[in-house]
Amino acid sequence: MVRKSNGKKGFTLIELLVVVAIIGILAAIAIPQFAQYRENAFNSAAESDLRNVKTSLESYYAENLGYPTD
């Protein structure tokens, strides 16, 4: 069966549905990965902050021969 060309150009409904389905599949894969990357970044930042606090406390101890009490 040959489609008649009536001069109109565009996408069919099926083509649009396929594109929407592909975008949905890609989003379903990407969003959990992005959430995991964010969680890892927050954990790394927290670990870095803890190392900085430890370094500061050890520096204070070396200068004052004791840890701060307050």
Side-chain angles (χ1 to χ4, degrees):
M1 186 159 103
V2 177
R3 290 177 27 187
K4 292 182 180 179
S5 177
N6 57 3
K8 294 182 181 178
K9 295 181 180 180
F11 297 106
T12 66
L13 181 60
I14 299 299
E15 291 170 333
L16 292 174
L17 288 174
V18 168
V19 169
V20 169
I22 290 171
I23 291 172
I25 291 168
L26 292 174
I29 294 169
I31 290 173
Q33 288 295 325
F34 177 71
Q36 184 65 37
Y37 292 142
R38 282 189 62 195
E39 182 178 338
N40 290 342
F42 288 139
N43 288 341
S44 295
E47 289 173 0
S48 176
D49 290 343
L50 287 173
R51 280 191 296 271
N52 290 338
V53 168
K54 177 186 173 190
T55 302
S56 296
L57 285 172
E58 293 301 325
S59 175
Y60 184 92
Y61 182 85
E63 291 176 7
N64 300 299
L65 300 176
Y67 291 109
T69 57
D70 292 345

